[in-house]
Amino acid sequence: MSKTAFRGLFLAALIAAAALRFGRLDLRPMHHDEANQAVKFGALLESGEYRYDKADHHGPTLYYATLPAAWLRGQKTLAALDEKTLRAVPALFGLGLIALFLLLGKAVGRGAAAGAAVFAAISPALTYYSRFYIQETLFAFFTWGFLIALGWLLTKPSVGKAVAAGILAGLAYATKETSILVFTAGSVGLAAAWLLSRPGAEEKRRFPRPALWLAGLASATVTAFVFFSSFFKNPRGIVDSLAAFKDYAARGTEAGMHSQPWYYYFKTLGWTRADGVVWSEALILGLAALGIVAAIGRWKTLPPRSCGTPVAIGWARKFWMRYLAETTTLMALFYSALSYKTPWNVVPFFAGFCILAGLGADAAIRTVRPKAMQGAVLVLLGLGATLLVRQNLLANRRYPADPRNPYVYAQTSPDYMRLVDRIRDLANFHRDGKALLVKVVADPSEQWPLPWYLRDFKRVGYWTSLAEAGGIEGVPVVVASQRFAEIIEQTASDSFQAAYYGLRPEVVLTLFVDRLLWQRFLNSRMAR
């Protein structure tokens, strides 16, 4: 592929990725995990304080990365924040993830790198979670930044590459505890690729000196310490980050509500059908499999794209292809081996599959003979890419909160927004306005994302039992989960008007409104 074609295709991929990731960021209701992260960030925004919580919320990079976005939009409090500010952060890192593949142009060839960028740009899964205010896309960015820097450190050692790899490793560690899986996969993949690609005397002579490895390790340690210690305010944070591995290891291996079979990720990505809607990223998976075959094959030359002399495969390219294939495969195996699975965990290793798909597409175009068939392969790839774009738009614009979408997981129902709107309407008819007393009685998983949506209300309390709530007599608005709603309906139905709203599939919340307040609200509607 010529440099001009490479630049043009890569730029087109970035433009498409930006359009798919940044448009209508407020289209989907906040997931309870997003709301939880948003409130956690709000505390940092308002007070400047952050403390790492080893039991939950993962590392701090998401929160610190959101600060510039909030400052740019002039938002200084939790109440001032909105979904666009928050979700723009992972969207930006999702775009950055694709830009990282530019660094692979000289490693695996311009055609393969451009193909990787295109597949990552239009992947419905990568796009969906780039619009999700959780750590996953930042983690994928730091992960692949680290892995690419590590590969360049081995093939063309320098202090700058060692430090860059270390900083990115530290950022990955400060983002998610599962970075340990990435580091293991990358280390084993790197060692296996080095040995199996049979380095010559020149490559062995250039092998990075111990000082470079130490520089990388020191950079990673300092970076992780800076973030986990809240920029030196809480040195114990780095110790807590190590202690967290015990809890996360138990969570990852124990059976629970997130327990899924080993093939869950591949089934989700490969083929899902729900009520007549079919979803599949099999094109990327299939081309990635071809890329793995190309990486571990014993080809000494690459067939040319057009007439001419076959392109010799140098040691560096053999190494890179094996390294990327082995590391990505190991990451997928590690994540699949854990019982704990949520669909957004595909992001780090599926980004690797997009790289391998670029290798596979490039190999397919080069290998097919006669030459006229190369045009047919390009047409088929174009049709497959068009279908992916269509699915992308369905997943992110038409069905962003629909359970038929395979990337929707415990997503807040659009019906929930009627509950939020009704509470806001009621506040307009109460003398206290947004200081209206609201009592929420529900299990913790059913309380969210209300703290986000009522973030500008002054008196909202959350309890897990009616006894802890201190009673509901005289309270203007009560939100209750099913088991508490049944008790309220049996004991205080004369005092309240009840209405029902869906939180998630098969999860209903009941809104109890003081009858006098409800009557004022109704009268206003009838007077219109």
Side-chain angles (χ1 to χ4, degrees):
M1 177 179 283
S2 67
K3 286 185 179 179
T4 302
F6 174 66
R7 290 168 181 164
L9 191 56
F10 214 101
L11 181 61
L14 288 173
I15 293 172
L20 292 168
R21 281 157 177 75
F22 285 98
R24 300 293 308 275
L25 285 171
D26 57 349
L27 191 60
R28 177 176 48 78
M30 289 285 272
H31 187 281
H32 60 272
D33 281 354
E34 290 182 287
N36 200 303
Q37 301 289 5
V39 172
K40 182 86 173 173
F41 167 67
L44 172 65
L45 179 67
E46 291 182 353
S47 68
E49 294 294 326
Y50 167 83
R51 289 291 183 274
Y52 173 68
D53 176 5
K54 66 180 181 180
D56 207 352
H57 296 103
H58 300 300
T61 57
L62 176 66
Y63 314 120
Y64 285 111
T66 311
L67 281 173
W71 292 336
L72 282 173
R73 295 199 67 198
Q75 297 169 339
K76 299 179 180 178
T77 64
L78 172 65
L81 289 171
D82 59 31
E83 290 86 346
K84 291 180 180 178
T85 297
L86 299 172
R87 288 172 175 164
V89 176
L92 185 62
F93 276 89
L95 195 63
L97 175 66
I98 297 164
L100 280 176
F101 297 165
L102 268 173
L103 302 173
L104 293 174
K106 291 184 179 178
V108 297
R110 291 193 286 266
V118 170
F119 290 125
I122 63 178
S123 162
L126 295 189
T127 303
Y128 192 84
Y129 297 117
S130 290
R131 299 163 58 88
F132 219 93
Y133 189 65
I134 54 177
Q135 281 83 0
E136 231 59 44
T137 300
L138 277 75
F139 181 56
F141 174 84
F142 295 135
T143 289
W144 281 102
F146 159 67
L147 292 172
I148 292 171
L150 189 64
W152 280 116
L153 174 63
L154 195 75
T155 51
K156 290 190 175 181
S158 71
V159 175
K161 295 181 181 94
V163 172
I167 290 174
L168 288 160
L171 289 169
Y173 176 59
T175 303
K176 283 203 73 175
E177 295 75 7
T178 46
S179 54
I180 192 70
L181 301 179
V182 172
F183 297 153
T184 303
S187 301
V188 175
L190 191 81
W194 169 264
L195 294 173
L196 295 175
S197 58
R198 299 179 181 178
E202 178 61 20
E203 284 78 28
K204 292 178 180 176
R205 187 187 65 78
R206 288 207 308 251
F207 190 83
R209 302 184 309 277
L212 290 181
W213 295 110
L214 289 175
L217 184 61
S219 301
T221 304
V222 170
T223 301
F225 179 77
V226 167
F227 278 88
F228 278 115
S229 68
S230 311
F231 288 83
F232 312 108
K233 296 177 182 176
N234 175 37
R236 183 176 173 74
I238 191 70
V239 178
D240 289 340
S241 76
L242 297 173
F245 280 117
K246 181 180 178 182
D247 291 338
Y248 280 97
R251 194 180 304 175
T253 54
E254 291 176 353
M257 63 182 296
H258 300 293
S259 182
Q260 299 286 353
W262 68 269
Y263 53 82
Y264 170 76
Y265 295 127
F266 294 98
K267 181 178 182 299
T268 301
L269 292 164
W271 181 267
T272 302
R273 182 170 187 161
D275 293 336
V277 184
V278 175
W279 308 84
S280 175
E281 299 201 44
L283 175 66
I284 295 175
L285 291 175
L287 288 172
L290 185 59
I292 292 173
V293 172
I296 64 176
R298 294 180 176 276
W299 296 349
K300 293 182 179 179
T301 61
L302 279 176
R305 286 189 181 279
S306 58
C307 58
T309 306
V311 179
I313 302 179
W315 174 85
R317 181 174 290 197
K318 290 179 185 175
F319 162 79
W320 270 103
M321 292 171 70
R322 281 187 170 276
Y323 169 52
L324 295 169
E326 290 159 1
T327 298
T328 300
T329 303
L330 285 171
M331 286 170 62
L333 291 175
F334 290 164
Y335 276 93
S336 297
L338 295 175
S339 296
Y340 183 98
K341 293 181 178 70
T342 52
W344 45 77
N345 281 330
V346 304
V347 175
F349 69 82
F350 196 59
F353 276 104
C354 289
I355 297 173
L356 298 180
L359 291 176
D362 187 55
I365 294 170
R366 288 177 181 278
T367 305
V368 168
R369 289 293 182 272
K371 183 185 173 185
M373 289 298 293
Q374 292 182 351
V377 172
L378 285 170
V379 169
L380 289 174
L381 289 174
L383 288 173
T386 302
L387 289 175
L388 281 174
V389 171
R390 179 179 178 274
Q391 287 190 57
N392 194 310
L393 294 173
L394 290 175
N396 293 288
R397 302 299 174 90
R398 185 170 178 180
Y399 300 117
D402 192 310
R404 289 176 292 179
N405 180 341
Y407 308 119
V408 167
Y409 187 76
Q411 169 64 40
T412 305
S413 167
D415 186 55
Y416 185 78
M417 299 310 297
R418 293 197 307 116
L419 167 67
V420 175
D421 291 341
R422 183 51 46 85
I423 294 175
R424 291 188 170 278
D425 288 340
L426 293 167
N428 292 329
F429 295 94
H430 193 276
R431 64 178 182 278
D432 294 334
K434 289 184 179 177
L436 166 82
L437 176 61
V438 179
K439 288 194 173 183
V440 182
V441 190
D443 292 335
S445 64
E446 296 172 333
Q447 295 176 358
W448 293 91
L450 207 53
W452 163 256
Y453 283 113
L454 297 185
R455 59 193 182 282
D456 56 340
F457 277 55
K458 309 299 182 188
R459 293 198 300 160
V460 184
Y462 299 87
W463 295 273
T464 55
S465 76
L466 284 166
E468 291 178 357
I472 57 172
E473 185 178 358
V475 177
V477 173
V478 178
V479 179
S481 61
Q482 191 64 32
R483 66 186 179 112
F484 298 116
E486 292 174 358
I487 298 173
I488 295 172
E489 286 173 342
Q490 292 170 4
T491 59
S493 60
D494 292 343
S495 304
F496 293 100
Q497 175 67 42
Y500 306 93
Y501 303 90
L503 169 60
R504 295 188 291 272
E506 301 181 5
V507 180
V508 175
L509 295 177
T510 303
L511 175 68
F512 292 97
V513 183
D514 175 81
R515 287 195 179 277
L516 292 177
L517 176 59
W518 181 255
Q519 194 58 53
R520 286 201 295 274
F521 170 71
L522 283 185
N523 291 342
S524 72
R525 292 298 173 98
M526 294 173 66
R528 288 181 177 180

